[in-house]
């Protein structure tokens, strides 16, 4: 059933996200600018809607501010 599939995918993403943010606890963009800011969001470098995936090479840990900025620049949705 579709609802079960969606619930499974959400749980799988939460596991991936939690594992990634634990390994990458600081915002990558802030670090590049010499700031140490806790990461709160996991960004898909290539969006899922454009063929991206949940592979670690396609993920970037960001603070909420940097995530909002990069998402807006890409024309994506705001959270």
């Amino acid at each position: 059933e579709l609802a079960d599939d969606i619930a499974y995918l959400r749980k799988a993403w939460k596991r991936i996200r939690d594992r990634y943010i634990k390994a990458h606890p600081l915002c990558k963009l802030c670090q590049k600018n010499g700031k140490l800011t806790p990461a709160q969001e996991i960004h898909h470098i290539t969006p899922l809607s454009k063929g991206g995936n949940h592979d670690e090479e396609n993920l970037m840990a960001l603070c909420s501010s940097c995530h909002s900025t990069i998402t807006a620049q890409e024309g994506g949705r705001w959270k």
Side-chain angles (χ1 to χ4, degrees):
E1 184 173 316
L2 182 58
D4 292 336
D5 291 344
I6 291 170
Y8 173 79
L9 292 173
R10 284 189 179 146
K11 287 179 185 176
W13 167 241
K14 183 174 180 350
R15 283 191 302 271
I16 293 165
R17 182 202 178 283
D18 290 349
R19 185 171 45 239
Y20 190 85
I21 210 160
K22 185 175 182 179
H24 304 89
L26 299 175
C27 173
K28 186 167 184 160
L29 295 181
C30 285
Q31 280 185 292
K32 285 183 179 180
N33 293 315
K35 296 187 331 187
L36 299 179
T37 308
Q40 298 139 328
E41 306 281 347
I42 302 301
H43 176 72
H44 289 87
I45 298 165
T46 300
L48 298 175
S49 63
K50 295 186 177 174
N53 55 41
H54 295 321
D55 291 349
E56 191 164 321
E57 299 78 30
N58 191 45
L59 302 177
M60 182 186 332
L62 299 172
C63 67
S64 293
S65 178
C66 286
H67 189 249
S68 292
T69 299
I70 200 168
T71 301
Q73 288 171 347
E74 294 174 347
R77 61 184 172 87
W78 286 85
K79 284 199 167 205

